[in-house]
Amino acid sequence: MGKLLFAAALMAVIWWLFFARKGRPRLREDEARQVLGVSADADAGAIRAAHRRLVTAVHPDKGGSVDLTKRINAARDVLLKRLQ
């Protein structure tokens, strides 16, 4: 029974690593600040404003890049998570 539980847990971790996180770029905090163009002491409002400005310019519905939009969204998430 222990081996079965171990195998199930291992499969869950493998699924999470390869499928659940697929397509989400990983950014460090300094990279995220550089992507959004905000300073180190930017508050949540400044981060959201920079994100909104950039996403409206590069959104895929307006002929922009899907990868760049994902990177901008990931940068916003990293910086807002830091503020929590």
Side-chain angles (χ1 to χ4, degrees):
M1 187 67 171
K3 289 181 181 180
L4 183 62
L5 286 175
F6 177 75
L10 183 62
M11 290 302 292
V13 168
I14 291 171
W15 178 87
W16 184 77
L17 287 173
F18 289 103
F19 297 107
R21 295 186 52 95
K22 185 176 181 180
R24 298 283 306 194
R26 295 183 185 183
L27 297 173
R28 294 189 321 260
E29 190 175 322
D30 58 333
E31 291 174 329
R33 272 192 250 108
Q34 186 177 14
V35 167
L36 292 181
V38 296
S39 64
D41 60 344
D43 63 342
I47 293 168
R48 287 187 183 106
H51 170 264
R52 197 174 305 116
R53 177 179 41 85
L54 289 171
V55 165
T56 56
V58 299
H59 197 273
D61 290 344
K62 296 189 178 194
S65 167
V66 173
D67 294 329
L68 188 54
T69 303
K70 286 181 184 180
R71 189 165 175 85
I72 292 169
N73 288 337
R76 178 207 52 204
D77 294 343
V78 166
L79 294 178
L80 289 178
K81 186 175 180 181
R82 172 186 58 95
L83 294 176
Q84 290 178 351

